[in-house]
Amino acid sequence: MFTTKKKKIQRYLEQKPDRDKCAFDHLLSDYLDGSLKKDLEELNIRRVEIHIDWLDDIKCIGIQGRYQQYYLDLQIDPTELSISLDRDEPDEDVIYPLESKEQVYNLLSAAFKAL
């Protein structure tokens, strides 16, 4: 039977004890309840698009949007995240180990201030 991606993610999160949830899991929860997009928009990111890859061997949150005149590409997997900003094509990214969901917003804020 066909199961939607959101239902698969919900089932994954429900089966994992809270004490075992990592930053990636918390971001997935925020994606499901809509707060991920809201939090990104509060950083003045416009045209936020979120795509989730949810395969057996690949789990990734892909985010694209605009910050002022810059294109943003943010990729988050269970262990790391990459941020790419460019006026034309955001293809040179900076990679960080994923430590917390707050870290994602702090790194984005720092990247925006550095522009």
Side-chain angles (χ1 to χ4, degrees):
M1 174 170 243
F2 179 73
T3 305
T4 68
K5 194 180 301 186
K6 284 188 175 185
K7 292 226 184 261
K8 288 179 184 179
I9 295 168
Q10 184 68 41
R11 189 174 333 124
Y12 161 80
L13 291 170
E14 288 171 351
Q15 292 174 352
K16 197 167 191 182
D18 284 343
R19 69 179 179 280
D20 294 339
K21 289 184 179 170
C22 62
F24 184 75
D25 299 332
H26 293 289
L27 289 163
L28 285 171
S29 292
D30 289 354
Y31 163 73
L32 290 177
D33 72 16
S35 60
L36 177 60
K37 184 173 183 176
K38 183 178 106 358
D39 291 343
L40 293 167
E41 289 171 342
E42 286 179 4
L43 289 175
N44 295 318
I45 301 171
R46 297 174 290 127
R47 299 186 206 157
V48 175
E49 293 181 21
I50 302 173
H51 174 77
I52 306 291
D53 287 322
W54 198 259
L55 306 168
D56 290 339
D57 57 340
I58 297 173
K59 308 245 185 301
C60 181
I61 303 170
I63 300 167
Q64 294 181 331
R66 295 286 307 257
Y67 178 77
Q68 297 176 355
Q69 67 271 25
Y70 292 87
Y71 291 95
L72 166 70
D73 185 51
L74 175 64
Q75 299 294 317
I76 307 168
D77 72 30
T79 61
E80 65 184 24
L81 69 126
S82 65
I83 299 172
S84 182
L85 286 162
D86 195 81
R87 289 180 190 248
D88 296 317
E89 184 68 34
D91 54 9
E92 291 189 30
D93 54 353
V94 179
I95 299 172
Y96 304 91
L98 181 60
E99 298 167 358
S100 71
K101 75 175 190 177
E102 295 78 18
Q103 172 205 25
V104 175
Y105 305 111
N106 292 337
L107 287 171
L108 284 170
S109 293
F112 296 157
K113 287 179 185 174
L115 295 175

